[in-house]
Amino acid sequence: MPIVDEARLAEAMKSIVGEAYVLVDDESRTNYGHDETEDLVFLPEVVVRPRTPEEISAIMVYCNEKGIPVTPRGAGTGLSGGALPTQGGVLLSTDRLNSIVDIDERNLQVTTEPGVITEVLQDAVKAKGLFYPPDPSSRGSCFIGGNISENSGGPKAVKYGVVRDYVLNLQVVLPTGAVIWTGANVLKNSTGYNLTQLIVGSEGTLAVVTKIVLKLIPYPKYDVLMLVPFTDLEKAGEAVSAIFRAGFTPSALELVEIDALVITSRMVGSTVVPVTDDVAAHLIVELDGNHMETLLSEAEAIATLLEGYGGGELFFADDAQQKAELWKIRRRAAEAIKAAGYTIEEDTVVPRAELPALIRGVKELGRKYGFHAVCYGHAGDGNLHIRIKKEGTRASLDDPQMVESLRALFQLVKALGGTISGEHGIGLVQKPYMDIMFSETQLGLMRAIKRVFDPNNILNPGKIFE
Ligand SMILES: Cc1cc2nc3c(=O)[nH]c(=O)nc-3n(C[C@H](O)[C@H](O)[C@H](O)COP(=O)(O)OP(=O)(O)OC[C@H]3O[C@@H](n4cnc5c(N)ncnc54)[C@H](O)[C@@H]3O)c2cc1C
């Protein structure tokens, strides 16, 4: 890393974005120096808050010439450390690029800047009867640009797919300062390499996303939501694939282990879910569509099916308020469990039918390596979030035994046909485990792509791989 003359860098940034939008005080650098990953903080030399692609281009030209690292940041809700400025330099916040540019009702598309909060975008299109389904549980605070960069998922991915499935075209600023569009605003495109999809999920290492064109669909008219208790966690996992085998596709199918439910209910002050001593986990099942009668008969059939897997008396969310409360408990689980000391989060994903084997393996590894794990997540996708608490350990990278136990976990995930991140990305904290998933040949291809986009390695250096 080059030695950065902080004063000169700050002056150069002020000449591009204006004095008010360059922050150098300790408090701001700390605020922008962490995300939601474990307890990690890295201070940038300066925080820069541009408003336009042209300003971002000028920042990139300056930093590229001087070899100064630039770390793009959305809302800082990431769970793999992608937005952490680990090598100092410029922290480039996208929070002022926060306009929805156009909702095209004729073509069912929306064009937006990256700093728009995901839920704000969803509400804006919903007001026109349109639906943008990808809904990370953090949707009330994360930015759509962060979602693009992580290829985020969320509860609705099980029926509607992830962010990648909705991105039609992107405007990006390259590390050299060039501003390009990656594709066209069309539903099909076989024209050359797919640069749009290369940028999706690239975690701010290839380009800064400055405009986004998304596909929309009509908003479904109705939904039903139910919660089913299980006395056996693994049986709950088994029931998940049975639902699909029986021909149903829920619009959300989430698993919440009992510890997660108790901790979160306590934090949000909710008593909506009755907890008895024998319950080990719940499945949250949501169905949506345009015909209420069909949804109700499907819900009834699923309830009967789940009885065969030990599913207990189900709780039906009767009205909008009960639905909102149930979703609040699910959406705030990560935050609540972290506050209870489970600071390390893994984002494993396996083929759906392997969920019980993964759950069993996690518990065995916990006993072997002396950690306690709480499981929850997007079970319908086979995507299990594992929150880990270990006495004396707040961050995974600090603890050699934790690194060893995570290697064992990821080797299990691979043996089950899965992979180490379903939706949170690799960033900083999963980087040490990439060799479990990829050979040197595969990693070499990824490094070569990075070099083409970013020959001087200034854009989010040291993320995904060295
Ligand atoms: C309570 C909680 C619940 C969550 N639930 C889910 C969930 O259900 N599903 C899910 O997928 N994730 C979830 N997440 C993780 C997180 O919210 C997502 O990864 C989200 O997409 C990050 O968005 P952000 O704006 O906060 O991005 P940041 O954390 O700021 O950045 C994430 C990455 O994107 C890059 N980046 C950001 N903006 C740009 C840009 N404009 N151009 C280029 N690169 C950029 C950054 O460099 C970084 O690598 C959850 C997080 C929390 C805290």
Side-chain angles (χ1 to χ4, degrees):
M1 191 180 36
I3 297 166
V4 178
D5 179 334
E6 290 168 32
R8 191 179 292 176
L9 175 60
E11 281 315 309
M13 294 299 109
K14 284 177 191 170
S15 73
I16 296 171
V17 300
E19 187 156 357
Y21 301 113
V22 177
L23 311 172
V24 290
D25 61 290
D26 285 350
E27 193 184 339
S28 305
R29 291 190 305 139
T30 307
N31 284 345
Y32 285 89
H34 69 87
D35 59 6
E36 289 298 323
T37 311
E38 303 179 353
D39 281 350
L40 302 170
V41 183
F42 295 85
L43 296 189
E45 260 78 39
V46 291
V47 175
V48 186
R49 301 176 58 224
R51 175 66 196 98
T52 64
E54 291 72 27
E55 289 178 359
I56 294 176
S57 171
I59 293 167
M60 298 312 301
V61 168
Y62 181 88
C63 292
N64 196 34
E65 196 189 303
K66 306 264 187 265
I68 296 170
V70 177
T71 306
R73 179 185 167 99
T77 68
L79 291 169
S80 56
L84 297 173
T86 49
Q87 301 191 15
V90 171
L91 187 290
L92 191 150
S93 172
T94 53
D95 59 356
R96 291 179 63 227
L97 285 90
N98 59 359
S99 299
I100 297 173
V101 179
D102 178 42
I103 300 174
D104 178 352
E105 291 178 73
R106 275 194 327 138
N107 288 307
L108 276 67
Q109 293 179 6
V110 58
T111 304
T112 180
E113 291 185 328
V116 174
I117 291 175
T118 307
E119 193 171 20
V120 170
L121 182 89
Q122 287 179 319
D123 288 347
V125 301
K126 187 179 177 185
K128 301 195 181 288
L130 298 172
F131 191 24
Y132 170 68
D135 62 337
S137 298
S138 52
R139 69 177 177 167
S141 51
C142 64
F143 292 171
I144 194 75
N147 297 171
I148 303 294
S149 305
E150 297 290 6
N151 184 28
S152 297
K156 301 241 189 265
V158 64
K159 177 171 177 181
Y160 291 103
V162 295
V163 165
R164 188 180 289 296
D165 301 308
Y166 293 83
V167 182
L168 299 178
N169 198 2
L170 296 170
Q171 184 197 57
V172 300
V173 180
L174 300 177
T176 54
V179 183
I180 60 159
W181 281 93
T182 55
N185 300 358
V186 289
L187 294 169
K188 295 171 84 178
N189 192 337
S190 295
T191 322
Y193 289 158
N194 195 331
L195 297 179
T196 309
Q197 293 297 342
L198 187 56
I199 298 296
V200 177
S202 65
E203 303 189 38
T205 62
L206 300 181
V208 181
V209 176
T210 47
K211 272 193 200 74
I212 300 155
V213 183
L214 296 166
K215 175 176 95 171
L216 305 170
I217 58 177
Y219 206 94
K221 286 198 180 81
Y222 306 107
D223 59 65
V224 296
L225 183 64
M226 56 191 185
L227 182 85
V228 188
F230 287 81
T231 52
D232 184 321
L233 178 60
E234 279 182 50
K235 277 275 175 201
E238 263 179 55
V240 168
S241 71
I243 292 175
F244 295 89
R245 286 201 308 273
F248 304 108
T249 305
S251 51
L253 179 45
E254 301 278 304
L255 179 140
V256 185
E257 196 179 348
I258 193 66
D259 291 0
L261 185 107
V262 171
I263 292 168
T264 316
S265 297
R266 207 180 297 139
M267 190 183 97
V268 303
S270 171
T271 51
V272 70
V273 183
V275 175
T276 52
D277 283 346
D278 57 340
V279 174
H282 289 87
L283 286 183
I284 299 174
V285 187
E286 185 196 75
L287 300 162
D288 71 3
N290 291 328
H291 302 285
M292 194 55 164
E293 271 171 31
T294 312
L295 297 183
L296 289 174
S297 78
E298 284 193 356
E300 211 171 298
I302 290 175
T304 309
L305 176 91
L306 294 182
E307 278 170 24
Y309 291 83
E313 195 177 335
L314 65 83
F315 168 81
F316 232 92
D318 277 331
D319 52 33
Q321 198 193 335
Q322 282 189 351
K323 285 179 192 169
E325 189 149 347
L326 249 188
W327 274 123
K328 183 163 77 178
I329 294 173
R330 167 59 194 92
R331 287 188 185 283
R332 296 197 63 185
E335 178 193 347
I337 306 166
K338 184 178 184 185
Y342 295 79
T343 50
I344 298 166
E345 169 146 334
E346 302 311 325
D347 175 38
T348 56
V349 55
V350 291
R352 205 185 269 145
E354 305 301 339
L355 260 185
L358 176 60
I359 291 168
R360 198 177 322 127
V362 169
K363 300 294 174 182
E364 277 164 15
L365 289 171
R367 282 190 288 278
K368 179 171 173 193
Y369 289 100
F371 63 76
H372 191 254
V374 178
C375 301
Y376 67 100
H378 315 302
D381 291 325
N383 184 192
L384 194 70
H385 298 322
I386 303 164
R387 275 264 167 195
I388 294 176
K389 178 170 164 172
K390 187 178 172 221
E391 218 47 61
T393 304
R394 301 283 297 174
S396 60
L397 294 174
D398 296 347
D399 180 337
Q401 209 201 11
M402 184 49 72
V403 171
E404 192 187 325
S405 45
L406 291 181
R407 284 198 82 79
L409 170 64
F410 294 143
Q411 268 147 0
L412 167 70
V413 165
K414 189 179 181 196
L416 293 172
T419 190
I420 63 181
S421 175
E423 55 179 24
H424 294 167
I426 298 304
L428 178 71
V429 293
Q430 314 295 350
K431 190 173 65 167
Y433 312 103
M434 283 288 273
D435 64 301
I436 296 174
M437 292 314 305
F438 296 109
S439 66
E440 258 316 303
T441 308
Q442 291 164 308
L443 286 171
L445 278 173
M446 292 191 207
R447 287 198 185 96
I449 291 168
K450 166 75 174 164
R451 273 196 295 276
V452 169
F453 276 80
D454 185 14
N456 297 327
N457 194 27
I458 59 149
L459 192 60
N460 214 355
K463 301 293 168 55
I464 307 180
F465 39 69
E466 291 302 338

